[in-house]
Amino acid sequence: MALYMLYEAASGYSLFLAHGLDEIGQNTEAVRGSVSDMNRFGKVVQLVAFHPFESALDALNQCNSVSEGAMTDELRNFLELNLPKVKGVKKPKFSLGVSDHKIGSHIFEVTKIPCESNEFIHELLRGVRLHFDRFIKDLKPGDLEKAQLGLGHSYSRAKVKFNVNRVDNMVIQAISLLDTLDKDVNSFSMRFREWYSWHFPELVKIVNDNYLFAKVAKFIEDKSKLSEDNLPELTEVLGDEDKAKEVIEAAKASMGQDLNPVDMINIQMFAQRVMELAEYRKNIHEYLIEKMNGIAPNLAALIGEIVGARLISHAGSLTNLAKCPSSTLQILGAEKALFRALKTRGNTPKYGLIFHSSFIGRASARNKGRMARYLANKCSIATRIDCFAENGTNVFGEKLREQVEERLDFYDKGVAPRKNIDVMKSAMETANDDGMSTFCLFIIGSTKEEDKSTVTTNGDGAEPKSEKKKKKKEKRKLDDDSNGVAAIEVEEDVAEKKKKKKSKTESVDGGEADGEVKKKKKKNKD
């Protein structure tokens, strides 16, 4: 069987024929050793055809298609022209070796050309790549390197190309930094409270907030210098005059030890660092809110900026999150519990990261799972609108949030919520962006057509929906009545059968008893 090989170079497509493989054998190690020798490799592999790319843009498009496992029309024409024709009935007497099995499967689906991709093919293609400039005689020295460098730059640039205003990587980094800062601020604050408590232990019970504690400690410095004259300034720091008076009274009767000036300087520097770190954490939080409103405004309006950012970070990107079904989004973040439940055959988790949403906390204990499922459904809709719409708006996120609120009222009070199609209609009316409205019109249009098809009929006289409902109810009643009568008849038959069985058993028991009495009488006579 003849073996052809497709090689995608930076300058164009090339087709090679490998013949006389018995000389080097089918062993991969033997092929690896013969690849480096051009005299030996050139006898086995020969160039059949070469199709150069028209321009750098054409090369980039072809490279993108090949990397995604798709065959372009240009590649199809090239293969059909240079390969033997494949007949539908007979098995082809050749095969095509490709570097990636994805593009091989696509070529086979479209053209029915048998493709293979294994280590043996990879080694042969490695030899083609090594000696490619010798196979193409028209190439000048340095042309192939320039083509590879230019295509590599353009391909990388196209992959990294993004919209500056909608970068989910910034959200992922920001939420990760926010989690790290929360841990660091808490640990540093506890360390500072413990350190300063050696000097002023009573201040811990009066001021509970970590940031405020560091601010007050930096203002007080030495407790012995605190007096009634510092009351206005201390009130301005604390924001409460009663607490300021309490701090001054506690400083007068404090049990803490005195510190030397060097220790006090270090404590004050550490307090300044803790305050700066806490302020930086606030700035990062504001930055995250701003980014989430620009990248995923509907998801942020529905579930909040922090929880939405955690979902995006856990999924890897907004696109990956949009591709997830609502069932996956519901348990996103609870993978360990899920696999543990599957392994032990226990109950699977009902929620993951969306548990931190306020809606789950507000739901009752028996409705938390239902609420998580409903909320995951709405989050999936919001992420898809944010990901695939050209311009963002939070109108749909607010409407979806209203739906979740109505669902909570339905679980608690029994108030019927609005239909999804009505909510989306009102959202499209309030949305000003045409691209967004057409995006959702495509979704709602199909539901409208389904509703129309259920209302109208193909005949000339279309019956109204209310009459259809009445007829359906009458049919159901008739079916229920017939089912009830049939059930009564079945019960009667069963009862009669039971009576017959009882009578038979009684007769059998009576016959056996009579037989025993007769036997006893005979024995007595004897």
Side-chain angles (χ1 to χ4, degrees), residues 68 311 315-329 332 379-388:
E68 293 172 1
L311 289 172
S317 65
L318 182 63
T319 306
N320 292 342
L321 185 64
K323 291 178 182 178
C324 291
S326 58
S327 58
T328 303
L329 194 146
L332 205 65
C379 287
S380 180
I381 295 172
T383 50
R384 288 167 187 174
I385 294 174
D386 290 331
C387 182
F388 300 111

Side-chain angles (χ1 to χ4, degrees), residues 25-58:
Q26 294 286 344
N27 192 4
T28 306
E29 295 181 357
V31 175
R32 189 178 293 114
S34 63
V35 159
S36 58
D37 188 6
M38 179 58 188
N39 295 326
R40 191 176 178 187
F41 186 75
K43 294 178 182 179
V44 177
V45 178
Q46 293 181 356
L47 178 66
V48 176
F50 177 71
H51 177 73
F53 295 134
E54 296 178 357
S55 61
L57 182 60
D58 184 27

Side-chain angles (χ1 to χ4, degrees), residues 289-340:
I289 292 173
E290 182 182 355
K291 279 292 179 184
M292 279 296 295
N293 290 328
I295 296 167
N298 294 291
L299 183 62
L302 173 61
I303 202 171
E305 291 84 2
I306 301 297
V307 182
R310 291 188 196 282
L311 289 172
I312 294 173
S313 176
H314 197 83
S317 65
L318 182 63
T319 306
N320 292 342
L321 185 64
K323 291 178 182 178
C324 291
S326 58
S327 58
T328 303
L329 194 146
Q330 180 182 350
I331 59 171
L332 205 65
E335 288 83 4
K336 289 184 179 179
L338 175 63
F339 292 122
R340 183 171 60 248

Side-chain angles (χ1 to χ4, degrees), residues 301-303 351 354-372 375 400-413:
L302 173 61
I303 202 171
Y351 27 67
I354 60 172
F355 178 77
H356 299 287
S357 174
S358 59
F359 295 113
I360 308 297
R362 289 163 55 190
S364 58
R366 67 190 192 97
N367 291 326
K368 283 185 183 297
R370 301 164 68 186
M371 197 66 222
L375 182 60
L400 292 173
R401 187 181 182 87
E402 291 176 5
Q403 278 190 291
V404 179
E405 295 282 357
E406 291 174 1
R407 183 64 59 161
L408 272 175
D409 294 338
F410 173 70
Y411 289 150
D412 295 339
K413 304 174 185 177

